[in-house]
């Protein structure tokens, strides 16, 4: 019996190890079956809802940022064309119909009339706004800026109002002296409140209380009249004989220095297609003005 005890102990230990191994295999197979089964329907629906919410907010933010970018781009482009119109009129000494001009023609476009090529020829081009930006103006009087050769705007201060599809607004202004800016800011003056005077106030009313006793007016003392002193009779004094005074020697008159007349500033030579009477210039040497006013 003593010899069988170790054998029995070894067999019991092996049985326990086999039981543990079988339990481990069972748990492993259960985890494997669970992983094969995947997520439940509720978990999938929750994930889809979260992704839809995130995507919606992302698209809304992207649309607003795109609209704001296009509004800023349209305002910057209009400001650049206004500055080009000012410099172009100054360079060409433009007058009359040759002046640079920018005018709104529709809610989504405007015309720019300047010398695009730099050869002295006025050219008109139509500029379209981005898809999500439009002008806000009165169709009876569309905003127009006409710039002369001094850089002054004939219409005075002109404001171009832009608006995006997200109701964002922008103002592009050009002043009468030719200063273009975006969303100009002016200092806010303080509000002064004035209290109106009531009509039922009697300015001659006397308040009740201790009233001041009026000071009596003093009686003036008459000033005595002085007695006149008799004036003594003066003895006549002999009239002295006047000595003849020598005649003064006339001094020579100074000769006036003539004032030099200012030298006229020569006019610039006319370029191609320019007329002396219109563009304030002169024909080059060797050319004269023909019947049409051109240099020939």
């Amino acid at each position: 019996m003593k010899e069988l005890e170790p054998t029995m102990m070894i067999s019991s230990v092996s049985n326990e190890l086999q039981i543990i191994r079988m339990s481990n295999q069972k748990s492993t197979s259960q985890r494997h079956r669970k992983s094969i089964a995947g997520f439940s329907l509720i978990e999938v629906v929750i994930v889809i809802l979260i992704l839809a919410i995130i995507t919606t907010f992302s698209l809304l933010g992207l649309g607003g940022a795109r609209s704001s970018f296009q509004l800023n781009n349209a305002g910057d482009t209009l400001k650049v064309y206004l500055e080009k119109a000012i410099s172009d009129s100054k360079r060409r000494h433009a007058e009359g119909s040759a002046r640079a001009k920018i005018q709104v023609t529709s809610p989504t476009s405007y015309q720019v009339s300047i010398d695009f090529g730099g050869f002295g020829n006025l050219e008109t081009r139509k500029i379209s706004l981005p898809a999500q930006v439009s002008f806000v103006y009165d169709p009876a009087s569309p905003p127009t800026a006409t710039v002369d050769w001094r850089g002054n705007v004939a219409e005075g201060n002109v404001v171009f109002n832009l608006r995006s599809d997200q109701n964002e607004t922008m103002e592009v202004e050009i002043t009468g002296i030719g200063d273009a800016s975006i969303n100009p800011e002016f200092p806010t003056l303080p509000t002064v409140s004035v209290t109106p005077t009531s009509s039922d106030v009697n300015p001659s009313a006397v308040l009740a209380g201790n009233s001041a006793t009026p000071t009596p007016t003093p009686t003036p003392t008459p000033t005595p009249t002085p007695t006149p002193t008799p004036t003594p009779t003066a003895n006549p004094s002999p009239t002295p004989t006047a000595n003849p005074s020598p005649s003064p020697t006339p001094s020579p008159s100074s000769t006036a220095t003539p004032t030099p007349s200012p030298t006229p500033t020569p006019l610039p030579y006319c370029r191609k297609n320019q007329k002396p009477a219109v563009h304030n210039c002169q024909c080059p040497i060797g050319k004269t003005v023909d019947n049409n006013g051109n240099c020939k």
Side-chain angles (χ1 to χ4, degrees):
M1 294 295 294
K2 293 181 178 180
E3 293 178 357
L4 294 175
E5 289 181 358
T7 304
M8 294 177 62
M9 293 177 62
I10 292 173
S11 62
S12 63
V13 170
S14 62
N15 291 332
E16 291 178 359
L17 292 175
Q18 187 176 2
I19 293 172
I20 293 173
R21 190 181 298 112
M22 291 177 63
S23 63
N24 291 335
Q25 290 178 357
K26 184 177 181 180
S27 62
T28 303
S29 62
Q30 290 177 355
R31 289 196 299 269
H32 181 66
R33 286 196 300 271
K34 186 176 181 180
S35 62
I36 293 176
F39 299 99
S40 64
L41 181 60
I42 297 177
E43 293 175 343
V44 173
V45 171
I46 292 175
V47 172
I48 293 175
L49 289 177
I50 293 175
L51 291 177
I53 293 173
I54 295 175
T55 304
T56 302
F57 280 103
S58 300
L59 292 177
L60 291 176
L62 182 61
R66 182 180 180 183
S67 177
S68 178
F69 173 76
Q70 290 183 349
L71 179 63
N72 293 332
N73 187 23
D76 292 337
T77 303
L78 178 58
K79 180 176 178 291
V80 169
Y81 277 120
L82 290 172
E83 293 174 347
K84 284 184 178 181
I86 296 171
S87 60
D88 176 66
S89 290
K90 289 181 178 180
R91 178 178 59 84
R92 294 186 296 108
H93 287 264
E95 293 181 352
S97 61
R99 294 176 295 178
K101 184 178 180 180
I102 294 180
Q103 182 180 11
V104 176
T105 56
S106 69
T108 59
S109 63
Y110 56 96
Q111 286 184 351
V112 179
S113 300
I114 59 175
D115 181 15
F116 287 95
F119 299 104
N121 299 324
L122 195 65
E123 183 181 355
T124 301
R125 293 183 182 179
K126 179 180 179 182
I127 309 299
S128 299
L129 296 177
Q132 299 177 351
V133 182
S134 61
F135 283 110
V136 179
Y137 67 98
D138 183 8
S141 57
T144 304
T146 307
V147 187
D148 60 10
W149 67 276
R150 293 183 178 87
N152 298 328
V153 181
E155 293 80 5
N157 293 356
V158 182
V159 179
F160 298 85
N161 294 312
L162 298 172
R163 184 175 61 188
S164 66
D165 58 352
Q166 300 294 330
N167 290 328
E168 295 178 336
T169 59
M170 175 180 290
E171 292 183 358
V172 182
E173 181 182 3
I174 180 171
T175 61
I177 59 175
D179 184 15
S181 59
I182 296 177
N183 290 334
E185 296 182 358
F186 300 97
T188 303
L189 299 178
T191 303
V192 179
S193 59
V194 179
T195 303
T197 303
S198 178
S199 59
D200 58 354
V201 176
N202 186 5
S204 62
V206 179
L207 297 178
N210 297 329
S211 58
T213 303
T215 304
T217 304
T219 303
T221 304
T223 303
T225 303
T227 303
T229 305
T231 303
T233 304
N235 295 325
S237 58
T239 302
T241 304
N243 295 325
S245 59
S247 300
T249 304
S251 59
S253 61
S254 59
T255 305
T257 304
T259 304
S261 59
T263 304
T265 303
L267 298 175
Y269 291 113
C270 297
R271 298 182 180 179
K272 185 179 180 181
N273 298 329
Q274 290 186 345
K275 296 181 180 181
V278 176
H279 298 89
N280 196 18
C281 59
Q282 62 179 348
C283 294
I285 299 176
K287 294 184 178 182
T288 59
V289 181
D290 58 5
N291 296 331
N292 296 328
N294 297 320
C295 293
K296 183 177 181 183

